Amino acid sequence: MPQPFDFDKTLKALQDGQALTGKDGILTSLIKQLTEAALAA
């Protein structure tokens, strides 16, 4: 089961200048979860 999306952690990473997308991007795990849910539906 995937971990829930952590908005506080995401906001902190964004403030620290981390990239939004890419291998270690902030939104990568959320995009993955959304894609898997869409494919399963």
Side-chain angles (χ1 to χ4, degrees):
M1 181 168 188
Q3 292 180 331
F5 189 72
D6 187 344
F7 288 101
D8 292 328
K9 181 180 174 184
T10 300
L11 182 58
K12 175 72 173 126
L14 184 60
Q15 290 171 339
D16 290 344
Q18 186 176 342
L20 287 174
T21 58
K23 182 180 178 194
D24 297 320
I26 296 168
L27 298 178
T28 302
S29 66
L30 179 61
I31 292 168
K32 181 180 182 221
Q33 288 178 26
L34 289 171
T35 303
E36 289 174 350
L39 289 172

